[in-house]
Amino acid sequence: MAALKAVSSSFWGCSKAPPQLGVGAANSHSAQIGNLRYDLDKCRKWECCCLGVFAEAQRATTAVEDEKPSVPLVHSSGADIDLHPNHSKGFHKDINLLPKPLTAIDISSAPRDGSKVRVAYQGLPGAYSEDAALKAYPKCETVPCDDFEAAFKAVELWLVDKAVLPIENSVGGSIHRNYDLLLRHRLHIVGEVQLRANHCLLGLPGARKEELKGVVSHPQALAQCETILSDLGVVKIGAHDTAAAAQRVASNGVRETGAIASSRAAKIYGLDILAERIQDDDEVITRFLVLAREPIIPGTDRPHTTSIVFSLEEGPGVLFKALAVFAMRNINLKKIESRPLKQRPLRVVDDTNEGSAKYFDYLFYIDIEASMAEPRAQYALGQLQEFARFLRVLGCYPTDTVL
């Protein structure tokens, strides 16, 4: 994986900035469009140069999955996390009980079904996030976390190998908290999972939905099942997640209280399914991201998504210029999300005390349908650097097309 970083540093380390790519102005009065002029001959020479550097570095790469350091990492933030909760603090009495070093044979013979992968998710067992983790790695060991940031930290501290976290929902929209955490932490997106929700109305064994007086679930799940809840005339009670709602109903033992959760949660907590697929919209789909400590080497054998985040200087048409670098290369934008730049939330237009106009500074998160192994994606990001004050590639990963 270090080789991929070498590729990235070689590409972005060109001492000479690439020429501006764009379309010429129709006349001298079109100032904004005129900024997009470019010299095709110089462009070809520059792009061939960068492509040669990328190809040379790529020949030297070797893919090693889940490479771990030879010494344990020390967390300097002071977080109260025990890296070895089940180990004694004394010496081993028998040297044969010490863990054996991992060999190259162990790595090459590791199964590809996820049976040796530990995957963190937010919530309790039975949460939809755990279903997404099991879809990504069918035989993995799932590790529940209290909140999203705990899942990020679990990967950073080598407690788990991956984390699977929701990023957007087809009804509820984006999960802004995870967008902010992507920028705060140095993890890489290595995959995505699209999961279709099957909201079920759960109750204690023998209970009937007509006798329910209250229903517990995550606020989004309650909002997505508004019709049936209104018909039943029940009180809606919020919970941290759907699995926590199912656990609360099972532990409280109140027949008049139900929960909205998955069918798997019903099996885990011993509840009856009183009704299935109760959501108002039949197609409630949540997109999850798979996060890891190291990026994967992008390919072109299947559709890929590249996720980036950048900020721009103020100026007329700057966002148009930034997005044009993808349009002129026929790269489709799957999504664009803007988030306030918290370090500089407001900026005054001028130094006078008379004006009151202020602008928000934003970060732009973009998903594009292209792989970083494709020259067009490399050239697009190279040109984007001309307008961007900050640019970071969050990950390049295979697109999930199976629901």
Side-chain angles (χ1 to χ4, degrees), residues 162-337:
K162 304 284 193 299
V164 174
L165 298 170
I167 195 66
E168 62 178 324
N169 180 269
S170 60
V171 176
S174 301
I175 292 87
H176 295 141
R177 176 61 176 166
N178 282 336
Y179 273 107
D180 295 339
L181 290 173
L182 280 173
L183 192 63
R184 183 180 301 176
H185 296 268
R186 296 296 301 181
L187 298 184
H188 302 268
I189 306 173
V190 297
E192 68 173 2
V193 178
Q194 296 190 46
L195 188 71
R196 179 183 285 110
N198 175 20
H199 289 326
C200 300
L201 183 61
L202 311 181
L204 293 174
R208 296 182 300 109
K209 64 180 181 180
E210 291 79 12
E211 61 183 302
L212 296 179
K213 294 184 179 180
V215 172
V216 188
S217 193
H218 188 276
Q220 279 199 9
L222 294 172
Q224 293 167 8
C225 304
E226 181 67 32
T227 300
I228 188 172
L229 296 180
S230 298
D231 293 341
L232 293 175
V234 296
V235 176
K236 293 177 283 187
I237 307 169
H240 194 51
D241 58 71
T242 55
Q247 185 192 58
R248 184 191 302 186
V249 171
S251 60
N252 290 345
V254 180
R255 289 175 57 90
E256 296 176 344
T257 303
I260 295 177
S262 65
S263 57
R264 191 164 156 274
K267 296 178 182 178
I268 292 175
Y269 298 105
L271 300 177
D272 285 350
I273 298 178
L274 309 182
E276 284 194 81
R277 301 197 66 83
I278 63 173
Q279 60 265 26
D280 299 339
D281 190 339
D282 291 336
E283 297 294 325
V284 177
I285 299 171
T286 303
R287 177 172 169 249
F288 296 81
L289 298 180
V290 182
L291 305 176
R293 289 178 291 275
E294 298 292 340
I296 60 174
I297 297 179
T300 57
D301 57 328
R302 54 181 293 188
H304 275 64
T305 298
T306 299
S307 297
I308 65 173
V309 56
F310 61 91
S311 62
L312 298 169
E313 295 288 352
E314 288 290 341
V318 177
L319 182 57
F320 166 76
K321 295 175 186 178
L323 299 182
V325 305
F326 303 107
M328 68 177 60
R329 293 174 176 85
N330 200 30
I331 298 177
N332 184 44
L333 268 63
K334 297 175 61 176
K335 183 178 182 181
I336 179 170
E337 179 82 23

